[in-house]
């Protein structure tokens, strides 16, 4: 909601939060809208400007950019519109899991394999959190994204299977030094 976004932005500013990675969590993998319409402006105006990186999935990037995304060129164009540093996550693409990083005029693609695992609940949030953790370690943005993407792929490949339906990936997958 807009009031919640305003409070979060206020507290992040108050505490001078650094290395903030914002995963908009506006549209779920199943296509459900998770953000109230009136909250979109608060997100755009107050929270996204605080981020060092914004990490929308394709449906979220479509909302934030006002563009339809059908291919890689559309992902690049949307990322440029959304902000100064945006990782447009391609996990919603049909054939691949390629992400594009737009960072102040530079584009870099991070190629990913489509891993056949039904347990993908929270993959976008996990990727964003892993990027933030790498930034907190003092790593540069591109390296943080690359390491986070490797971690996410490995955690999916581990094939954790809990409960019924789309469960979580294996967040306990051991990290290794690169």
């Amino acid at each position: 909601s807009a009031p919640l976004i305003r409070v979060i932005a206020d507290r992040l500013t108050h505490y001078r939060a650094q290395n903030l990675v914002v995963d908009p969590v506006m549209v779920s993998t199943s296509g459900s809208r998770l953000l109230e319409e009136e909250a979109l402006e608060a997100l755009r105006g107050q929270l996204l400007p605080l981020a060092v990186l914004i990490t929308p999935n394709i449906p979220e990037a479509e909302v934030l950019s006002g563009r339809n995304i059908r291919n890689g060129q559309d992902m690049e164009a949307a990322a440029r519109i959304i902000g100064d540093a945006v990782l447009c996550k391609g996990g919603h693409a049909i054939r691949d899991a390629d992400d594009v990083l737009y960072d102040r005029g530079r584009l870099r693609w991070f190629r990913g394999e489509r891993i056949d695992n039904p347990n993908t609940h929270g993959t976008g949030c996990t990727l964003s959190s892993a990027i933030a953790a790498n930034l907190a370690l003092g790593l540069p943005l591109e390296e943080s994204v690359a390491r986070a993407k490797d971690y996410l792929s490995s955690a999916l490949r581990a094939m954790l299977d809990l409960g019924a339906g789309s469960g979580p990936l294996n967040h306990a997958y051991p990290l290794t030094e690169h």
Side-chain angles (χ1 to χ4, degrees):
S1 69
L4 182 58
I5 290 171
R6 284 192 287 275
V7 168
I8 292 168
D10 177 67
R11 294 294 83 195
L12 289 168
T13 301
H14 175 80
Y15 289 109
R16 296 184 182 117
Q18 297 179 11
N19 299 317
L20 181 63
V21 176
V22 176
D23 189 26
V25 193
M26 298 167 50
V27 182
S28 72
T29 301
S30 63
S32 300
R33 185 97 182 213
L34 303 173
L35 184 71
E36 296 174 2
E37 192 65 40
E38 65 271 7
L40 185 56
E41 281 312 307
L43 178 73
R44 280 188 176 127
Q46 295 183 337
L47 193 56
L48 296 185
L50 301 176
V52 298
L53 181 66
I54 304 164
T55 60
N57 61 31
I58 288 174
E60 292 160 349
E62 287 181 328
V63 171
L64 290 171
S65 69
R67 298 179 54 107
N68 289 325
I69 298 176
R70 302 289 176 250
N71 55 43
Q73 290 173 323
D74 292 341
M75 288 173 68
E76 291 174 357
R80 285 185 184 99
I81 291 168
I82 294 167
D84 291 335
V86 177
L87 180 71
C88 189
K89 300 178 296 195
H92 284 76
I94 295 170
R95 291 175 303 281
D96 59 49
D98 296 345
D99 304 334
V100 64
L101 175 65
Y102 173 74
D103 185 16
R104 292 158 187 78
R106 281 193 50 204
L107 287 167
R108 178 176 170 194
W109 279 92
F110 292 86
R111 302 298 175 191
E113 64 180 294
R114 169 80 44 203
I115 297 168
D116 188 19
N117 182 342
N119 298 306
T120 58
H121 186 75
T123 52
C125 299
T126 298
L127 179 64
S128 299
S129 296
I131 294 167
N134 282 303
L135 289 170
L137 291 172
L139 298 174
L141 182 58
E142 284 191 27
E143 186 177 349
S144 294
V145 171
R147 287 176 55 128
K149 193 145 173 74
D150 288 347
Y151 165 72
L152 181 67
S153 294
S154 296
L156 282 167
R157 235 181 264 107
M159 296 292 173
L160 180 66
D161 192 19
L162 298 175
S166 179
L169 61 153
N170 186 0
H171 290 99
Y173 187 81
L175 294 174
T176 58
E177 291 295 320
H178 291 286

